[in-house]
Structure formats: structure tokens, C-alpha cells
Amino acid sequence: MSIPKSIREYRTQGDNHINLKLQESALNLPKANEVLVKIHAVSLQYRDLMASKGRYPGQKKDLVPCSDMAGEIAAVGVDVTGWKVGDRVCANFALDHIHGDVNANIQKTGLGGQIDGVLREYINVPVHSLVRVPDHLSYEEGSTLPCAALTAYNALLGPTPLKGGDYVLVLGTGGVSIFGLQLAVASGAIVIATSSSDEKLKVAKKLGAHHVINYNTTPNWDDVVLEITGGRGVDHIIEVGGPGTIQKCIKSARYAGWIHIIGFVAQGESDLPIRAAIGKALIYRGIQIGSVKQFEDMNRLITAQNIHPLVDKVFPFEQAIEAYSYLESQKHVGKVVIKVSKD
């Protein structure tokens, strides 16, 4: 594989995604313990919208955005073993999160936030951050795994893994929620999905959701959740709404249930309800993606169950700004992807 001397990459201008700048930069060969990855596809998430506006906590200025990619190894450093040119790979969201709990130093290696990300044609990454793309997935599908899929996996199959027959509530039909639905169904759980759109709920049903609720036409959806579970409540909740939905999630959860706090896209008061946590012995768990080890474990489940990520729409690299706008419109179900390489 021929290695170019320069590549194209996008950089933020600090105020809005419509001002992302496409530019050329020099390409360095990988260091001894790095690999050079030719990026084929990049997937987007809500975090990328925040970073494009300069609102992501701790982000660097003049940032190459995005954290999630799939590509092929184009070159390896002199000390790299176990990998070869042509291998299909993702890099973990936080490059140095190999196993165990996250910490402050690991946080500093988050792609597309604290350090430059993957909305570019090539990138050098440390070999310890690599995970193989499952053979049955395309590059576009593989690019959705590092953040959305791994976040859902860490929530549902992390410290207290769900069991067959558990009830799982997923809010909305964005990337993390759809992966939560798919992984929960694959693990034998009973899934309840919410959305503002009946059309999106049809997709959730097709993916295996056992119960669906339109929260626009059924604003007291938490009461419906309790009806479905016979008054017991659900075992696990993928909580992506945050302040605007936490109270209903508390009501929907069983005693000693898990509320996995992932996002804050819904408007509302931001104080975490401490009394409710004590009163129902609830477990609030903040999720920060996951480790390389969890990524590998997740890929075994994805392969064993032949799970295909739900890719809503694919944009060419030159239309990255349009891809951001489509994500912001919230018309998508699942993931929005940018195809970087034409070959």
C-alpha cells in the first residue's frame, strides 16, 4: 500500500459544525509502537455536535473531530507484533483505556475531544488501542462500534450484566439506544423502547423490541412501563435524556435497578434526585464508553449473534458538514456515517 505524504482532514473553528474546515496536513510515519490506519468510515454522535461548537468539556482548540472510525492498517511501527498491513481495525474511543476503570489520565486520550480525532484520511494510533472489526461487518458498520455500541455494552453487560428475562428500557432511537436494544435482545432480555415517532418505533420493533411507547402521544410513559412489568419496574435503563427524563426513569426502574446515565439531550432541571436513589435503592451509573478488553468481548457477542449495526445514512467525506446537519435534525434512526475512503 502506497503511503501519501499529505492527507485531508477537517478541523473545528469553535462555533458551529457548518464552519468545519477541510484542509491538508503532512502525514508522519508511525512511531515504533504505533500503526498507521487508512480510515474508510467515520460515524457521528451527539458529542461531535458539541465539539463542533466548542462546547465539549476539555476539548483542544483547532480540533480534528470525531472518535469513531474503521479502517485498514497501512503501515506498522518497527516494534509492532500481531498486526499486519491490511488488517481491518477500529481504535478504541480513549486510546489508553485498555482494561479496568477509567481515570483522569485515560480521559485525556479521548479521540475527537482532548486530542485530535478521526475525521481525516489517515491516523497514527498506539497498537494497544486496536480492536479487529468483525468479519461480517462493512467498514461503515464497523465505524459505529467504538462509542455507541461499546457504551451500550458497558451499560448492560458491565459490572452487573443483564440476565435473560430482565426488562431493559431504552430511551429514543439514537445510536446508543439502538445498540442497547440489539445487545439486550441478543442477550435474552425483554426490551421496551420509547420514541417521539411511530415510524421510528416500527424500526425498533423490527429489531426485536417487545414493547414500544410513543412519548409524545403517551406523555405518562413511565406508567405504561410499570403496567408492562406488572408494577415491578425495569432492571436496566439506557438513560440518554438526562435532566428531562430522569424522574420518569426513576419511576420506571425496579427497586435496586440500574439507571445507566449516558446523555443529557432532554431539557429540564439538572439536579440528580438523591432521595429517590435512597428510597428505591437505585444504582445511578455514569458511563464513559469502555475499554479495549470490553470492546473485544462485545465483538464476540456481535459475531456470535450476527448483529449488524443500524446505519441510517452514509455521506461522502466531502459532505461531512451535511452529515452533521442531518445528525442535528434528529431524523435518523441508529447511526449517521461518513465514508472517507473511495476504495
Side-chain angles (χ1 to χ4, degrees):
M1 183 182 300
S2 61
I3 308 299
K5 293 184 178 180
S6 65
I7 63 168
R8 295 180 300 163
E9 62 184 16
Y10 283 92
R11 288 194 178 268
T12 61
Q13 302 300 300
D15 50 6
N16 200 296
H17 70 266
I18 61 174
N19 293 323
L20 285 173
K21 183 180 179 182
L22 181 59
Q23 63 185 47
E24 284 205 2
S25 67
L27 178 63
N28 298 317
L29 291 176
K31 297 176 182 177
N33 289 305
E34 291 182 335
V35 299
L36 175 65
V37 179
K38 179 181 180 180
I39 297 174
H40 283 258
V42 169
S43 70
L44 297 179
Q45 49 244 332
Y46 181 74
R47 171 183 184 260
D48 300 322
L49 287 171
M50 293 180 62
S52 72
K53 299 172 183 178
R55 297 177 185 172
Y56 188 75
Q59 76 177 78
K60 72 185 288 288
K61 293 182 178 180
D62 192 30
L63 173 73
V64 177
C66 301
S67 57
D68 294 18
M69 67 82 179
E72 63 179 315
I73 295 178
V76 298
V78 295
D79 291 339
V80 170
T81 60
W83 300 92
K84 66 182 185 302
V85 172
D87 284 346
R88 301 187 333 134
V89 296
C90 296
N92 199 48
F93 175 95
L95 295 178
D96 288 350
H97 195 181
I98 303 170
H99 58 81
D101 295 330
V102 71
N103 59 42
N105 288 328
I106 287 172
Q107 281 185 331
K108 294 174 184 177
T109 66
L111 290 164
Q114 291 82 355
I115 63 174
D116 284 334
V118 299
L119 196 53
R120 54 172 75 174
E121 293 177 313
Y122 287 79
I123 187 173
N124 285 304
V125 294
V127 67
H128 62 243
S129 71
L130 292 183
V131 176
R132 298 183 191 276
V133 177
D135 290 340
H136 71 290
L137 300 186
S138 67
Y139 283 116
E140 289 78 12
E141 292 172 323
S143 75
T144 69
L145 300 179
C147 183
L150 190 54
T151 296
Y153 182 88
N154 189 2
L156 298 177
L157 292 141
T160 301
L162 61 81
K163 306 179 297 298
D166 279 358
Y167 279 91
V168 174
L169 171 63
V170 299
L171 304 187
T173 51
V176 175
S177 296
I178 288 293
F179 270 118
L181 188 169
Q182 292 178 289
L183 294 171
V185 168
S187 301
I190 302 167
V191 177
I192 304 169
T194 71
S195 176
S196 62
S197 162
D198 287 338
E199 290 302 311
K200 291 181 178 181
L201 289 174
K202 288 180 183 177
V203 177
K205 287 284 284 185
K206 186 178 293 187
L207 291 172
H210 301 78
H211 306 275
V212 295
I213 307 169
N214 185 316
Y215 61 75
N216 275 347
T217 58
T218 309
N220 294 327
W221 52 264
D222 46 339
D223 292 329
V224 178
V225 170
L226 290 178
E227 289 175 14
I228 291 169
T229 60
R232 176 179 177 272
V234 299
D235 299 274
H236 291 268
I237 299 176
I238 299 292
E239 166 56 291
V240 297
T245 52
I246 188 68
Q247 292 288 355
K248 290 184 181 296
C249 285
I250 287 167
K251 187 174 179 179
S252 299
R254 70 166 171 87
Y255 279 77
W258 289 79
I259 299 179
H260 305 282
I261 301 171
I262 294 161
F264 42 88
V265 297
Q267 299 300 310
E269 296 297 323
S270 60
D271 289 343
L272 195 64
I274 301 301
R275 289 177 182 270
I278 298 170
K280 290 185 77 173
L282 295 172
I283 305 160
Y284 299 150
R285 181 172 178 243
I287 306 291
Q288 287 210 359
I289 326 300
S291 66
V292 170
K293 176 63 169 61
Q294 287 176 310
F295 202 154
E296 292 170 343
D297 291 343
M298 177 187 71
N299 281 356
R300 282 196 291 273
L301 174 59
I302 287 173
T303 299
Q305 296 293 332
N306 196 36
I307 295 172
H308 282 270
L310 180 59
V311 176
D312 183 287
K313 195 169 183 179
V314 179
F315 291 80
F317 186 62
E318 294 77 15
Q319 293 180 17
I321 291 173
E322 288 85 345
Y324 270 76
S325 295
Y326 183 66
L327 179 73
E328 190 172 45
S329 75
Q330 297 187 356
K331 295 177 181 177
H332 63 289
V333 180
K335 296 296 292 182
V336 180
V337 172
I338 298 169
K339 183 176 177 61
V340 179
S341 174
K342 292 184 172 65
D343 54 19

